[in-house]
Amino acid sequence: MADLFQEIKEKLRDAKLSIILPEGNDERIISAALKLQEEGIIHPIIIGKKEEVPSALTVINPQNYEKMDELVAAFVERRKGKVTEEQAQEILQDVNYFGTMLVYMKKANGLVSGAAHTTAETVRPALQIIKTKPGISKTSGAFIMVKGETRYVFADCAITISPTSEDLAEIAVESAKTAAAFGIKPKVAMLSFSTKGSAQSEETEKVVRATELAKELDSTILIEGELQFDASIVPAIAAKKAPDAVLQGDATVFVFPSLEAGNIGYKIAQRLGEFEAIGPILQGLNAPVNDLSRGCSAEDVYKLAYITAAQALI
């Protein structure tokens, strides 16, 4: 299996996509942007002050943006009377709101932020402006877990704290799409502490119901639940615990029953299993916006820019 990012680069080479990087006063962002600019596959657009950014980069400053009136009018309309024009002028001085509006107005294909902002500061503008796709009630956060030639998708590890059955079904369908977009054949395991009724509780019934709903949302997805993690990944255990399951220890997409389980799970795989965790990748939005960790490196920014651009092609 080829390197993930080489595959992404080949897909994007002729697409001519641009990605907004709102945190133009952060050295990691500038370093990543320069690398992207040099490669010439993705066009990075920095939000910041021109005099503070290397001349090789495209920079937009909300304080003197010539089409600000257009953005303000569109923002007021999008917020459906929740903000006045004066309030919109002030709000759009925030780099994340400004950058997200540029994506909404199709001035760019996606946005990567979070190096110097919280998840809420990155995600809130996306939910208010870009919003979720038709039929999707909530966004979710997935990680692509990579180790050598092995790739998995883990979700939701970043956004939805206590998902309902309906939420889990949406997460399963969107995670399958994410997997397919990054060269992973989607085989979705709906995880629990029970395998096929070995235990019964409200928690296990939630996952059973979520599995049924996911199949109704998209009957083409190969999906099984409820499954314990070992039954989803070890063929010999699947044969014993779930001999009639459509997945036999060959799952590639893992949907966790709660945010705490997903967050703990991906970090165990990352720290003990030595998987590279790429993300979180926000799923379910009308255009891609992704959130960095504030402890990220320039390389993390660079990679998430490619992931974000690839999402724009889904």
Side-chain angles (χ1 to χ4, degrees):
M1 186 181 292
D3 175 80
L4 174 63
F5 286 95
Q6 287 303 317
E7 290 181 9
I8 293 172
K9 288 177 183 180
E10 287 305 313
K11 285 184 180 180
L12 295 174
R13 198 167 295 280
D14 298 320
K16 297 181 179 178
L17 302 183
S18 57
I19 298 296
I20 299 286
L21 299 171
E23 299 162 314
N25 58 350
D26 190 294
E27 291 182 2
R28 296 165 294 176
I29 299 297
I30 296 303
S31 177
L34 287 169
K35 186 175 180 180
L36 292 168
Q37 182 76 7
E38 182 180 351
E39 287 182 340
I41 298 172
I42 293 174
H43 177 55
I45 300 174
I46 299 292
I47 307 301
K49 296 180 179 179
K50 199 172 186 68
E51 62 271 18
E52 297 178 357
V53 176
S55 59
L57 298 172
T58 299
V59 185
I60 300 177
N61 186 344
Q63 294 178 1
N64 56 25
Y65 183 55
E66 60 184 15
K67 295 184 179 179
M68 182 60 88
D69 289 346
E70 180 184 339
L71 257 63
V72 167
F75 183 67
V76 171
E77 180 182 0
R78 190 63 167 163
R79 297 296 290 134
K80 300 185 184 299
K82 294 180 181 178
V83 297
T84 64
E85 186 173 312
E86 292 74 19
Q87 289 170 327
Q89 289 275 5
E90 182 178 349
I91 290 168
L92 289 177
Q93 292 303 309
D94 178 286
V95 294
N96 282 319
Y97 273 95
F98 179 74
T100 302
M101 275 303 298
L102 291 178
V103 175
Y104 173 66
M105 299 294 286
K106 302 190 184 302
K107 309 293 186 185
N109 302 100
L111 177 146
V112 173
S113 188
H117 291 86
T118 65
T119 295
E121 289 168 336
T122 299
V123 175
R124 187 182 298 113
L127 294 177
Q128 291 179 356
I129 298 167
I130 292 173
K131 301 186 179 181
T132 55
K133 298 174 185 175
I136 300 294
S137 62
K138 295 178 181 178
T139 188
S140 57
F143 281 86
I144 300 176
M145 308 299 294
V146 180
K147 184 178 181 181
E149 296 186 351
T150 301
R151 301 178 196 172
Y152 300 117
V153 172
F154 284 15
D156 179 349
C157 304
I159 303 294
T160 309
I161 295 174
S162 298
T164 63
S165 293
E166 290 76 12
D167 295 336
L168 289 173
E170 288 183 3
I171 291 166
V173 171
E174 290 302 303
S175 298
K177 293 176 183 176
T178 296
F182 295 106
I184 303 167
K185 184 176 181 180
K187 297 182 179 182
V188 184
M190 306 295 283
L191 298 178
S192 180
F193 60 83
S194 167
T195 297
K196 294 303 203 176
S198 62
Q200 290 187 327
S201 70
E202 290 183 7
E203 290 82 3
T204 63
E205 288 303 313
K206 179 179 77 170
V207 177
V208 171
R209 175 65 177 153
T211 306
E212 295 170 352
L213 291 172
K215 291 177 181 178
E216 292 174 10
L217 289 173
D218 190 341
S219 61
T220 67
I221 297 176
L222 193 61
I223 184 169
E224 190 63 83
E226 87 284 21
L227 295 175
Q228 291 165 289
F229 187 81
D230 56 358
S232 72
I233 199 70
V234 181
I237 295 176
K240 290 180 180 179
K241 291 187 173 183
D244 298 325
V246 296
L247 299 184
Q248 285 296 305
D250 55 348
T252 58
V253 178
F254 302 89
V255 177
F256 291 83
S258 68
L259 180 59
E260 59 188 354
N263 191 269
I264 292 167
Y266 100 80
K267 288 185 177 179
I268 289 174
Q270 179 186 38
R271 300 302 178 182
L272 297 184
E274 298 183 347
F275 276 79
E276 181 181 4
I278 301 169
I281 300 166
L282 299 189
Q283 304 180 135
L285 293 169
N286 280 308
V289 170
N290 282 316
D291 178 41
L292 295 157
S293 164
R294 279 176 285 176
C296 68
S297 65
E299 185 70 7
D300 294 330
V301 180
Y302 166 82
K303 287 182 175 180
L304 196 55
Y306 270 108
I307 292 290
T308 305
Q311 282 183 282
L313 297 180
I314 298 176

